[in-house]
Amino acid sequence: MTSGEFRLRDLAFSVYAPSLLYSVGTGAILPVIALSARGLGASVAAAALTITLIGIGSLLTNVPASMITARFGERAAMIGAAAWATCGMGLALAAPVLGVFAAGILMIGMAGSVFNLARQSFLAEAVPVQFRARAMSTLGGVSRIGTFIGPFVSAAVMLWLGLPGAYWTGLAAMAAATVVSIRIPDLAGVVPGGRHPAGNDAVRPTIRSIAASHKRVLATLGVGVMLISAVRATRQAVIPLWAEQLGLDAPTASVIYGLSGAVDMLVFYPAGKLMDRKGRVAVAVPAMVVMGIALALLPLTSQAATLLAVAMLLGFGNGIGSGIVMTLGADFSPRAGRPQFLGLWRLLSDTGVMGGPVVLSVMTGAVSLASGIWAVAALSFAGAAIFGYFIPRTPRSG
């Protein structure tokens, strides 16, 4: 599709609808995973660990996800991943013991890795580079909206079905995502196996060959991707933790967190448009700087009003960076071997997601919560420096 013919709304059904449904399904169960584990006899520590299984499943499956997408194509990968997540929801719903429940949650994390990589690869192929950032930012925004909506939908269902209602909601959303994915058209000019008719069919890119040929960008901008992912993952914990430090009750903390998320969701499209017109650095650096400033200010707040202001600033910083990781991944991924590159890219991102909370935990345990938050702020400023230095000032054409 040429840039003159392209309209972002043309992707509403093929990419954004299944992504919204998938995110609703994930969001529906996130608030109740620990409660379900406790109901199956898990200790508080073990229940907390079950929440990380989604991230662990994604981290472990990033490289296999690239192989699956390269072998079968983006559409088939999305269908298979959504179906696998549906099965994971069913297993968690019917689990008689903790081990079976944990396996179901791990399956959902594994499916997420494949689904997210395939839809990113699909967008990178389907969207002209002039619209790439808007498309990726919209994808990030749609995912945020789905994750935001999911808990409210599951809460309504749980009024009738109790705790299992969350998993029924998730199962229905994942099944719907599977059905919608089946109706996605195959990409024109692309055949499964990661090869393109215009390319050399005799050479099949591998994870190792892509890592070798792109080692510089993975070792530079890849570190920036790790840092922004670490900051984002930690952001989800620091607001409620600092609210508790201030002695605020749970409903107040929830409202503050929710308003921060609302600001986040409002700015994703303007950010993508700015990236397309002014370049990636125009958004990547300000996003990291704003989040760094907000995190640095957070321990200085002393009441609900100031915490709300800083939390909304943090949400704004995160929101204007919506889609930056996916956009940069698409920019630097080669057309032949794109799934393999994106698998490595997502591996770096997920490493940051898992590592950020570890930094916060270690610093909090060794010194204080404020010190932990300031350490994450330092990571954000370091990420801004990396993005500012290594991101090209004009978008790549591939």
Side-chain angles (χ1 to χ4, degrees), residues 90-110:
L91 192 62
L93 175 64
V97 294
L98 182 61
V100 176
F101 175 77
I105 300 301
L106 188 67
M107 286 173 63
I108 295 168
M110 294 167 64

Side-chain angles (χ1 to χ4, degrees), residues 296-307:
L297 292 175
L298 189 64
L300 304 180
T301 61
S302 58
Q303 55 184 333
T306 52
L307 176 57

Side-chain angles (χ1 to χ4, degrees), residues 362-388:
V362 169
M363 288 297 297
T364 299
V367 188
S368 65
L369 177 58
S371 298
I373 296 173
W374 282 326
V376 178
L379 296 181
S380 195
F381 291 128
I386 290 172
F387 284 148

Side-chain angles (χ1 to χ4, degrees), residues 137-138 140-149 152 235 257-270 315-316 318-320 322:
S137 294
T138 301
V142 166
S143 297
R144 285 168 165 81
I145 292 169
T147 304
F148 182 79
I149 292 173
F152 294 99
R235 161 189 166 271
Y257 185 88
L259 289 173
S260 175
V263 173
D264 187 335
M265 290 187 292
L266 288 174
V267 295
F268 65 83
Y269 186 79
F316 176 76
N318 190 52
I320 62 174
S322 175

